[in-house]
């Protein structure tokens, strides 16, 4: 099943998304985003990480007691995220889907994160759909 453009799928087949936030500037990005996201977390929340990759943010948010859904259009990312959830013991739900067609009811989440989709969706109409 291909939910996204084949060029994006090919890009992620050639990169190591699992280690992206642990190398180079990745740790800085991760820690800074955690600070920014934490500003909006004052009680256990329902959070969706759209384009959540292999689950770095989902694991962190789950470890804080939030109810997290990770959505990603790359099957390999979903498999890696599911393994991360089981391995760490911080459960989060993983769904194969993409930003323009989320399998969630409207207004069902307290917070929605859209890191990756906003730089992959180049058309204004796609960004509005997301």
């Amino acid at each position: 099943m291909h939910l996204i453009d084949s060029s994006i799928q090919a890009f992620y087949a050639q990169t190591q998304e699992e280690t992206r936030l642990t190398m180079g500037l990745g740790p800085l990005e991760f820690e800074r985003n955690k600070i920014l996201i934490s500003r909006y977390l004052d009680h256990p929340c329902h959070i969706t990480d759209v384009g959540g990759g292999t689950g770095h943010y989902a694991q962190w948010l789950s470890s804080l007691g939030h109810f997290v859904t990770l959505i990603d259009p790359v099957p390999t990312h979903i498999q890696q995220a599911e393994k991360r959830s089981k391995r760490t013991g911080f459960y989060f739900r993983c769904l194969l889907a993409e930003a323009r067609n989320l399998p969630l009811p409207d207004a069902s989440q307290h917070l929605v994160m859209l890191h990756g989709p906003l730089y992959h969706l180049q058309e204004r109409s796609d960004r509005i759909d997301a």
Side-chain angles (χ1 to χ4, degrees), residues 3 18 47-59 62 67-88 90-98 102-104 109:
L3 299 174
E18 177 64 21
I47 301 171
T48 295
D49 186 0
V50 181
T54 62
H56 290 274
Y57 289 99
Q59 175 190 337
S62 295
F67 307 97
V68 181
T69 299
L70 179 144
I71 294 176
D72 202 275
V74 179
T76 304
H77 292 173
I78 293 295
Q79 293 166 359
Q80 290 172 329
E82 288 172 337
K83 286 179 184 175
R84 175 186 297 276
S85 177
K86 290 175 185 167
R87 182 179 70 244
T88 64
F90 297 115
Y91 175 77
F92 50 90
R93 180 170 69 152
C94 301
L95 301 174
L96 182 65
E98 63 96 35
L102 298 177
L104 300 170
Q109 303 297 293

Side-chain angles (χ1 to χ4, degrees), residues 16-31:
Q16 293 295 318
E17 184 67 14
E18 177 64 21
T19 59
R20 185 179 68 78
L21 292 174
T22 63
M23 299 169 44
L25 291 175
L28 177 62
E29 172 189 337
F30 187 50
E31 292 304 317

